[in-house]
Structures are given as structure tokens and as C-alpha cells.
Amino acid sequence: MSSLENISSEAIQCLAFADSYTKKSEAATFPTLWVGTSLGSVLTVMISVPSPGESRLTQPVAVSPCGTIFRLKGCILSMSFLDCNGALIPYSFESWKDEGREKQKTPTRCSSSNSRMSPPLGSTGSEVTCDRQFVALISEKQARVVALPSQNCVYRQQLADPDFVVKAEIISLKDSVCLVCYISNGHVTAYSLPSLRPLIDVEFLPLADLRIARTFCFSNRGHGLYLSSPTEVQKFTVSADFCSSLAEMVGDLFLPHDMPEPPKESFFKGLFGGGARNLDREELFGESSGRASRSVAKHIPGPSAQIEALGQRASIAASEISRAHQLALERGEKLGQLEDRAEKMKNEAENFSMSAHSLMLKYKDKKWYQL
């Protein structure tokens, strides 16, 4: 069943079951199924459930379209119902139990499912004097609040243009409900219900990864989650009260440590503990009794110790002086040997010079052929 001509391009995006009004002239609620499509159409399907008992087991559930269609711009993301006071109506459901295990033959309706429903009128044939419900329809571009059963659009709001809404949820915050949206430009916005008055518009998280769009979600009391990495979940909140009390809710981290060794049992416990105990000299004054503390008794040297230390320092100084004198003598001896070698080299050089001069004088006046 499609609301538009091109059936192949339209798909169901979200469903909502509720006891709602199907026509403008009706004064009683009926089980209905609200269908939101990818092209922005919202259809209402009435569900006829047989009365409890034998007929419920033998007769099928009949469904029929009501003919009411609401159209919004963009894909339908969420649908929620509010009562006449603006409180969120929980989804209707029935609990089913196996007849073989339970003696109850018919399913019973949960008592909490109708606690927040619209107050019924006196009779089904009476005229409707005022609207008893609000349905909030949220798409990728717009949000509308339609009053039922009159089906009048009482409030509307443009959520994103030219961007689109990635995730939209109607949550309970404090004593009221509000619409919270995550926009593709990274902003988080909130609107009051049913008036759709803007509450916040803050820059939060750029839509850089498809994983964020698939896992982003809101919950009651302003909390939210998304998968920041394949192994990490990031939690955030839009509630100022929760942020102010966040420091008090942070837990303490305790690291495990090994237990210390038990202290040694003192012999005074045996003396003053009242019980009889055998003590010996080794236990009182031996190694098992422990080492004495340095702060209890400290050795203080007398005058003789100072004289001995002074004599030791004097002997060390004398040995250092004698060693320096010995090194000086060895250095003088080496310098004397070096001086003798230099004198010897000088004499040999003079002898060589004289021999060369005499040889020159001998062959000075001779021709080459006389050599």
C-alpha cells in the first residue's frame, strides 16, 4: 500500500501502534497503526480486534485504511502521541502467556498501558467538543503537531534547511517532554512539545562517519549514546542538571595491593597479656628479637678518637709528600739523561762538519779528470 504513484521508490520507515481517533466525527479511540514512509507520508490504519474469549481465538484481526494521510517534507523519522495535557502517551501493548504453562486462557492488557491515555468520553455517539490527543510527526526537514480528532495542524516547525535531520526522538526531560534532533551539520537542537518552541541549538559533533549516523540515539532525561569507534561508546547529555551533578557521580578507582606482613609479636604481650609463656635469653636479646633502632643509641667518639684521626691524616699527608719528592727526583734524572744525549748529538754534528770541510779543501783545486 503506497500513498504516492511511484510505488517502487517509497518504503516504510517507522511504525507506531496507539489507541487513537480515526475520523473527525469520532468520540472514542480505536486501536490504530500509524505508518511513516520514506517520501514523507503518514497513513492511518484501523485495527479491529475481536472481543476476548472464544471469538478472539477463532476470528482474525481485520485491518482497514482510514483514508487520512498527512504529508511532510522529507523522510518520516518518528511519531509519538501526547495527551490533552501534553504528556507523552506510552505505546499500547498486550502481554501474552502460554496457555500450556499458565492457567490464564486470555491475554490481559497491561494496566500501565492506559494510565496516560486520553480520557474517554461518556458515550461513543456524543459530539466531540475539544481535541483529546496530539500526534507529533517528525521528518528529515519538518515537524508538525496535529490535534486529534479534529486533525488540525496546530504547530509546525522547520527543523533543517538545507541540511537534514539524522536522528529525532521525543524524550521525557524533568516534568515535560521535548523533541531532540541531531542535524547533519553537527548541531543538536531541542524543541518544546506540543508548541515546538526552540529550546537549544548547539554545535556538537560533525557527521564525519556513517557509523555515527547509524548508532546515534537519545533517551529519557536528556541522555544520548553513539558509537565513536568500533570498540568505544560515547555518552553525552543535554541536561544541565545532570552536568552540574556529574562530579558527584564519578566513582573512585581502587587498585589491588598485596597485604603487608603481620608485625612480629612482642614479648611484652606475653608479659602483660595475662597468659603464661616461656622466654629465653636468645628470644629476648638475640637476633630473633630484631635490630636496635639507630635513634635509640648513637656512638659519640671521644678526644682520643679525634687525635687518632688527626695522626692518620698527617701520615697520609707525609706519604703524599714523599711520593711527590720521589717523582720530582725521577723527573730530574730523566732531564739529565736527555741533556747528555743532546750534548753528544751536538759533538757528533761538529765532527761531521769538520770532516766535510776538510774533504772540500782537499778536492777544491783538482779537475774532474784528476779525481
Side-chain angles (χ1 to χ4, degrees):
M1 180 179 60
S2 175
S3 62
L4 302 180
E5 296 178 358
N6 193 359
I7 301 176
S8 61
S9 63
E10 188 171 18
I12 296 176
Q13 292 297 116
C14 60
L15 299 173
F17 290 92
D19 287 339
S20 180
Y21 301 94
T22 57
K23 298 180 181 179
K24 295 182 179 181
S25 60
E26 289 180 346
T29 59
F30 294 94
T32 56
L33 170 64
W34 292 66
V35 182
T37 66
S38 59
L39 296 182
S41 300
V42 178
L43 299 88
T44 306
V45 179
M46 185 173 63
I47 303 175
S48 298
V49 181
S51 59
E54 188 67 24
S55 60
R56 180 67 180 89
L57 301 176
T58 57
Q59 298 179 6
V61 177
V63 295
S64 60
C66 300
T68 303
I69 298 178
F70 302 96
R71 298 185 186 275
L72 282 77
K73 185 179 179 181
C75 176
I76 302 298
L77 299 179
S78 177
M79 296 179 293
S80 297
F81 291 84
L82 308 175
D83 60 11
C84 58
N85 297 322
L88 186 64
I89 299 176
Y91 293 113
S92 301
F93 64 93
E94 290 184 353
S95 59
W96 180 86
K97 296 182 180 180
D98 190 0
E99 295 181 356
R101 296 183 179 181
E102 302 292 337
K103 295 182 179 180
Q104 298 178 358
K105 296 183 179 180
T106 58
T108 58
R109 182 177 296 273
C110 181
S111 59
S112 62
S113 62
N114 289 329
S115 60
R116 299 287 295 277
M117 297 298 292
S118 302
L121 296 179
S123 61
T124 58
S126 61
E127 295 292 334
V128 179
T129 58
C130 62
D131 293 322
R132 297 302 183 97
Q133 276 186 354
F134 296 101
V135 55
L137 309 176
I138 298 94
S139 68
E140 292 179 340
K141 299 290 186 179
Q142 300 173 342
R144 292 184 184 180
V145 176
V146 179
L148 298 177
S150 64
Q151 299 182 3
N152 295 326
C153 181
V154 292
Y155 301 103
R156 66 179 62 194
Q157 182 66 249
Q158 187 74 19
L159 300 180
D161 192 19
D163 301 309
F164 61 92
V165 178
V166 179
K167 189 68 176 180
E169 290 288 345
I170 295 178
I171 62 174
S172 298
L173 189 62
K174 283 191 174 181
D175 298 331
S176 61
V177 293
C178 63
L179 170 64
V180 186
C181 303
Y182 173 54
I183 315 298
S184 60
N185 58 4
H187 286 230
V188 172
T189 59
Y191 301 89
S192 63
L193 286 176
S195 61
L196 291 178
R197 180 172 54 88
L199 299 178
I200 60 171
D201 186 357
V202 294
E203 184 177 357
F204 175 61
L205 178 68
L207 187 61
D209 194 352
L210 186 60
R211 178 177 59 251
I212 299 176
R214 290 180 176 178
T215 59
F216 204 95
C217 62
F218 297 100
S219 63
N220 290 330
R221 300 183 181 180
H223 302 315
L225 290 173
Y226 68 91
L227 198 62
S228 58
S229 69
T231 58
E232 295 177 335
V233 176
Q234 180 70 40
K235 181 180 179 181
F236 64 93
T237 182
V238 296
S239 175
D241 295 340
F242 182 80
C243 292
S244 61
S245 60
L246 184 61
E248 300 177 359
M249 293 185 289
V250 175
D252 297 329
L253 180 63
F254 296 93
L255 299 178
H257 289 277
D258 297 334
M259 292 295 294
E261 296 182 359
K264 295 182 179 180
E265 186 177 359
S266 176
F267 71 95
F268 290 104
K269 183 177 180 181
L271 293 177
F272 304 103
R277 184 181 177 188
N278 297 325
L279 299 176
D280 55 0
R281 182 182 180 86
E282 181 65 24
E283 186 176 359
L284 290 175
F285 307 104
E287 295 181 356
S288 61
S289 62
R291 295 182 179 180
S293 177
R294 294 184 178 181
S295 60
V296 176
K298 185 177 181 181
H299 176 68
I300 301 176
S304 59
Q306 296 180 358
I307 295 174
E308 292 178 359
L310 183 60
Q312 186 177 3
R313 288 197 296 269
S315 61
I316 293 174
S319 62
E320 291 293 334
I321 292 173
S322 61
R323 182 172 176 274
H325 179 68
Q326 183 67 25
L327 292 176
L329 293 177
E330 292 178 357
R331 184 173 180 273
E333 185 178 355
K334 290 181 180 180
L335 290 176
Q337 294 177 0
L338 183 61
E339 185 178 357
D340 294 341
R341 291 176 62 184
E343 185 68 23
K344 183 179 179 181
M345 290 177 64
K346 179 182 178 182
N347 295 333
E348 291 179 354
E350 290 178 355
N351 293 334
F352 179 76
S353 176
M354 292 175 62
S355 300
H357 184 69
S358 60
L359 185 62
M360 181 193 68
L361 293 177
K362 181 179 179 181
Y363 295 101
K364 179 179 180 182
D365 297 332
K366 291 184 179 182
K367 303 296 181 179
W368 61 272
Y369 53 85
Q370 294 178 352
L371 296 177

